[in-house]
């Protein structure tokens, strides 16, 4: 006689308490998985700038940005639509969920085939006519192919996310940074052996490494979808099984796509924009090489600042939970999810900003070598992590809007942030002619956009902003960072690690005390 299989917190979800527990556990697991896989991202962040150097990083940084932008253009908001409607119908109409799963993934596949075909044929014709170099053609095809792999991965993962099986989502999320590191190391070293250490072909290899990482995530995501028993990969990609939902998916996904493309542009536009204006008008140095080096500093700092995208884990858990609660008219549950998400977001952001405020420049120099000096990199790193935090919070809030079935609001917010980013980087670059000023232009618009989104959620959708979720981690971070910054001697790597450890310990102890006090308050006990 076999024992009945024990249900996990992710396979439950019938009662309100089970749903709340599933959301909390999902956010923590998703972030934990991204953090664990992030060890390989850290290794990739150390390897790639070091082996490419500032000049080639000035080329790769913009290509990495275009990778995410093109991916979201190809996807057309379909992964977010899959998650929203699968979670909406999962409890009451599983057959309708299956229809969205199939047609959504088929649509992404067809979009990818079309994009890659146009690029290969159009670029091939341009190359044959002498209007495009072999390097440019190879870069275009590699970039689009890598972006297509990424969107196939995220579309497949969106199925698992719709069922709120964050435990299964986390498998692919853990493996893709491992694949990205392995693929990048192998391809860049191979390109280096063939074309030499200063060749632009190393950048093509680095872009291909991004695609390898996405394939490493796609295969296990397919296996996890099969494990749910709700769909098979063969059926999902069978174009003969179309269910007639393409138009409906595109109508909702079109607005979601506007917000996701704008979000990807905001996240990734800074490096290409700084490169374009910096080189065309020679804003950051007297020679092309000097400008490229400064742009390389900027791009490298942005990579580190975007470590705050760990908050993707919160968005992964938040959108299907909110979609389910909103579909059932449960505003109280939506408020619970919103409060819990903000608590996780501000706690994580406070830790990143605290560490980078004290050790940002030294961390980058330690990982990437003396060609990225701490004195130059520190202000760039701090501004980048604050701006990256704004982008990460916007990522979470955009997914909240989509979960509320309000993709137009998300699109409007991101459109304003996009325009602000162009204006901010453009003005600061021309007015002050330094990459540090350009980083200010990157930082301000996302932070203002996140603040505006929080205000919109309060005024338009009656979601109360819990101030304690911001004030508690901010106060604890200040109490932890100031003594270390003022009194910890700068005596090498061992003392840096000791300083980081001391800050995290004080920060965690402070939050724990405040949490215990809040739970003992009359309001908490009454609730």
């Amino acid at each position: 006689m076999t024992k009945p299989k024990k249900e996990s917190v992710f396979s439950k979800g019938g009662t309100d308490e089970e749903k709340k527990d599933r959301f909390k556990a999902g956010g923590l697991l998703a972030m934990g998985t991204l953090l664990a896989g992030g060890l390989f991202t850290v290794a990739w962040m150390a390897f790639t700038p070091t082996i490419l150097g500032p000049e080639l990083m000035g080329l790769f940084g913009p290509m990495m940005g275009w990778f995410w932008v093109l991916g979201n253009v190809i996807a057309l908001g379909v992964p977010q639509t899959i998650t929203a409607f699968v979670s909406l119908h999962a409890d009451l109409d599983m057959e309708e969920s299956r229809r969205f799963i199939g047609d959504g993934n088929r649509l992404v596949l067809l979009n990818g085939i079309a994009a890659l075909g146009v690029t290969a044929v159009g670029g091939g014709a341009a190359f044959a006519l002498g209007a495009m170099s072999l390097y440019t053609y190879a870069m275009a095809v590699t970039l689009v192919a890598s972006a297509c792999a990424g969107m196939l991965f995220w579309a497949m993962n969106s199925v698992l996310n719709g069922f709120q099986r964050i435990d299964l989502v986390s498998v692919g999320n853990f493996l893709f940074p491992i694949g990205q590191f392995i693929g990048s190391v192998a391809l860049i070293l191979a390109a280096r052996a063939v074309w030499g250490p200063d060749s632009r072909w190393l950048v093509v290899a680095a872009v291909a490494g991004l695609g390898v990482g996405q394939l490493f995530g796609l295969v296990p995501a397919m296996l996890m979808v099969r494990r749910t028993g709700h769909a098979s990969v063969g059926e999902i990609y069978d174009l003969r099984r179309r269910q007639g939902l393409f138009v409906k998916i595109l109508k909702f996904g079109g607005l979601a796509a506007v917000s996701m493309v704008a979000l990807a542009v905001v996240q990734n536009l800074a490096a290409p924009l700084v490169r374009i204006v910096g080189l065309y008008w020679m804003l950051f140095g007297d020679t092309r090489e000097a400008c490229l080096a400064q742009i390389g500093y900027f791009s490298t700092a942005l990579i580190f600042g975007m470590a705050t995208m760990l908050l993707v884990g919160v968005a992964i858990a938040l959108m299907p939970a909110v979609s389910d609660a909103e579909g059932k008219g449960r505003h109280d549950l939506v408020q619970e999810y919103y409060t819990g998400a903000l608590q996780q977001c501000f706690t994580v952001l406070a830790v990143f900003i605290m560490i980078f405020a004290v050790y940002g420049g030294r961390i980058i120099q330690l990982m990437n070598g003396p060609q990225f000096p701490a004195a130059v990199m520190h202000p760039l790193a701090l501004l980048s992590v604050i701006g990256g935090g704004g982008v990460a919070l916007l990522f979470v809030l955009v997914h909240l809007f989509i979960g509320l079935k309000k993709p137009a609001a998300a699109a409007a917010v991101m459109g304003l942030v996009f325009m602000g980013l162009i204006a901010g980087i453009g003005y600061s670059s021309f007015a002050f002619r330094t990459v540090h000023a350009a980083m200010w232009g990157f930082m301000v618009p996302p932070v203002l956009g996140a603040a505006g989104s929080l205000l919109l959620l309060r005024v338009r959708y009656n979601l109360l902003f819990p101030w304690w979720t911001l004030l508690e981690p901010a106060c604890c971070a200040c109490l932890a960072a100031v003594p270390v910054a003022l009194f910890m001697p700068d005596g090498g790597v061992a003392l840096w690690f000791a300083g980081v450890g001391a800050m995290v310990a004080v920060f965690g102890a402070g939050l724990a005390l405040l949490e215990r006090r809040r739970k003992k308050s009359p309001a908490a006990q009454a609730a």
Side-chain angles (χ1 to χ4, degrees), residues 7-23 87 90-92 163-165 320-321 324-325 328 330 333 337:
E7 285 190 299
S8 71
V9 66
F10 300 104
S11 57
K12 296 179 181 178
T15 68
D16 284 358
E17 288 306 314
E18 287 176 344
K19 289 179 179 180
K20 292 175 187 177
D21 290 343
R22 181 174 62 188
F23 167 70
S87 60
D91 288 342
L92 302 176
F163 291 125
Q164 300 190 57
R165 291 302 305 267
D324 177 46
K328 294 179 172 65
R330 293 294 305 277
L333 272 182
Y337 296 144

Side-chain angles (χ1 to χ4, degrees), residues 95-109:
E95 190 56 38
E96 186 70 2
S97 289
R98 291 194 184 98
R99 294 177 68 211
F100 275 98
I101 290 169
D103 271 8
N105 277 275
R106 291 177 201 119
L107 192 52
V108 172
L109 176 64

Side-chain angles (χ1 to χ4, degrees), residues 124-135:
F127 171 66
L129 295 171
M132 180 182 289
S133 68
L134 179 61
Y135 165 80

